[in-house]
Structure formats: C-alpha cells, structure tokens
Amino acid sequence: MKIVVIGGTGLIGSKLVKTLKERGHDALAASPNTGVNTITREGLAEALDGADIVVDVANAPVWEDKAVLEFFQTSGRNLLAAEAAAGVRHHVALSIVGTERLPENGYFRAKVAQENLIKGSGIPYTILRATQFFEFVGGIAQSATVGDEIRVSPALFQPIASDDVVAALADVTLAAPVNGTVEVAGPEAIPLDEVIRRFLKATKDTRKVVPDVHARYFGAVLDDQSLTPGENPRLGATRFEDWLARSQAQ
C-alpha cells in the first residue's frame, strides 16, 4: 500500500516511515522539508496521488494559543479535502490523551478541533491518542523551573516511549479504520513529581522537585485522570526506568 506520513521527518514520523517500509509498504515522508506543505497546499495533491492511507503526525511549529489553533484547523481542512479528492481510504491521526479534559491548555484545544474535523470529514479514520513521551520529560521539568526549584503537580502521569507510540501507530495504520479513538500509554502510572525526580537523578541534575497540587502543566491544573488513559488502553512495553538507563548509556 502507499502510505503518506504527514510530518514524516519528525521524531515520530521518521520512525513510522522506517517501520512501515520494513513491513513492506510504500511509505512517503511528507513535510515542508520534502516539499509538501499542508498550510499552503504545496505538493499536497501530488503526494496523495494513489495513496491508500494518510497518517497525520504533524506538529504545530508554534505554541501560542491562536496560532496553534489556526495551524491545526487550516492543515486539517486542507489535508482532508486533498484526501477526499484522492480517494484515500483511511485517515490516521496522532493525538493526545486527555485533550478534552484540559481546555485551559491551548494546544489541547487545538487538538480537539483537529479531531472534530476528522470526525466530520466522512473519511474512514482512526485517532490514536498517546500519553506524553518520555523524550519530553526534560522539557516539562524546564518549563516548571524557577531558580533551582521545579514545582510540579503530584497527579498521576503515564508517559510512554516514542518507539512504543510508533509501534501502536503502525498497527492501527495497517488495521481497518475504527472510526473512533484508541488510547496508548506507558506501562506504569507514576506521580508527575516522581517522574521528574527520577529524571533528575538519572541526569545528575541538582534541582529540587517541589510537589504542588496547584502547579500548572502548560496552563492546566491536573488531577489523577487528566493525563492518564481510560479503560483498556494499549500499553507500551518500555518502563521509564529502563528508558532512562538506556538513554544515559548512549
């Protein structure tokens, strides 16, 4: 099958393209770097010509609330219109566990808008919602740092290795559309402050973690359900401790 991966040169996209090729499929990495732009529509029709499946893992290049909403709405409309014209049979999108539960977060609001466009498009679809990636734990710590303190919520957090997200994405891409949402998460739910503490210990970082139930996670106050999956999620195989040990050994 011809599978077009939008955002195919990023962290997830590049790994997904490699995985799909290893499984014997014609996988195309589509991004502005390869001449395909879902905002301007440059190269989009050509890339989708003959495509059976499109996987959208594109990430907004900006984080400001209005700009990120405009990105996902414009990109989503252009992409879905091009897919309809090309006769694409399955649209797969990567989203985030908890999007509808944290409306204070502008990025999450934008992902909800993207999901709604997909649901209303008439194209058979699967939305894979993943929890936060292990690879971004350092960025979370940085965003919550004031001086030598990191003030974060002790709410439960169930992060996942990007490789496990890719494995789940490949599986749902090659399966029949579910016309609904599938969740994937890491194997363990751990308080966020403890995740940060383990990361700092592994990286020999001397900053102090201060648990604070009022601390905001990119604008949102968390509880134990905010960033954890619902019933019967797919679980990744990689434990955070093992990923930390491997990443420090590299």
Side-chain angles (χ1 to χ4, degrees):
M1 291 188 292
K2 180 180 177 181
I3 304 170
V4 178
V5 180
I6 304 295
T9 57
L11 171 68
I12 297 296
S14 58
K15 292 180 178 183
L16 180 61
V17 167
K18 181 173 182 286
T19 299
L20 293 172
K21 285 181 176 177
E22 287 171 350
R23 294 195 188 185
H25 298 282
D26 175 16
L28 174 69
S31 73
N33 292 344
T34 66
V36 182
N37 192 314
T38 55
I39 300 298
T40 66
R41 294 182 289 200
E42 177 195 357
L44 189 55
E46 293 84 351
L48 266 54
D49 183 36
D52 301 286
I53 302 169
V54 171
V55 187
D56 186 3
V57 296
N59 204 353
V62 286
W63 284 82
E64 189 273 319
D65 285 2
K66 184 170 181 286
V68 78
L69 180 62
E70 286 179 356
F71 173 85
F72 279 117
Q73 287 184 323
T74 303
S75 177
R77 288 193 185 104
N78 289 343
L79 181 56
L80 291 163
E83 288 178 33
V88 169
R89 295 184 283 119
H90 188 187
H91 177 95
V92 180
L94 180 61
S95 193
I96 307 167
V97 165
T99 47
E100 78 290 354
R101 294 193 289 272
L102 296 178
E104 309 95 324
N105 182 304
Y107 198 91
F108 280 31
R109 289 198 303 273
K111 293 298 284 186
V112 169
Q114 180 193 31
E115 290 184 12
N116 289 337
L117 286 171
I118 295 164
K119 292 171 184 175
S121 71
I123 298 170
Y125 72 92
T126 304
I127 295 169
L128 180 70
R129 285 184 171 183
T131 53
Q132 184 58 276
F133 305 161
F134 293 160
E135 286 83 354
F136 294 152
V137 168
I140 295 167
Q142 194 57 41
S143 73
T145 297
V146 177
D148 64 349
E149 284 189 349
I150 302 173
R151 193 169 290 271
V152 288
S153 171
L156 285 179
F157 192 59
Q158 200 163 335
I160 185 170
S162 64
D163 285 350
D164 290 342
V165 175
V166 171
L169 257 179
D171 286 349
V172 300
T173 296
L174 299 175
V178 301
N179 294 313
T181 302
V182 177
E183 290 189 321
V184 63
E188 306 165 289
I190 311 167
L192 177 56
D193 63 315
E194 179 59 24
V195 171
I196 301 295
R197 207 171 280 113
R198 292 183 192 181
F199 178 80
L200 297 185
K201 181 180 178 182
T203 56
K204 298 181 173 56
D205 190 318
T206 59
R207 285 177 290 176
K208 180 185 178 185
V209 178
V210 180
D212 179 354
V213 294
H214 303 294
R216 290 181 177 266
Y217 176 87
F218 300 108
V221 174
L222 304 179
D223 61 32
D224 284 348
Q225 285 73 49
S226 299
L227 297 173
T228 51
E231 293 182 2
N232 301 315
R234 173 171 170 149
L235 296 180
T238 311
R239 293 173 63 252
F240 186 56
E241 290 294 311
D242 298 333
W243 176 85
L244 272 176
R246 278 207 305 271
S247 61
Q248 293 312 301
Q250 290 172 355

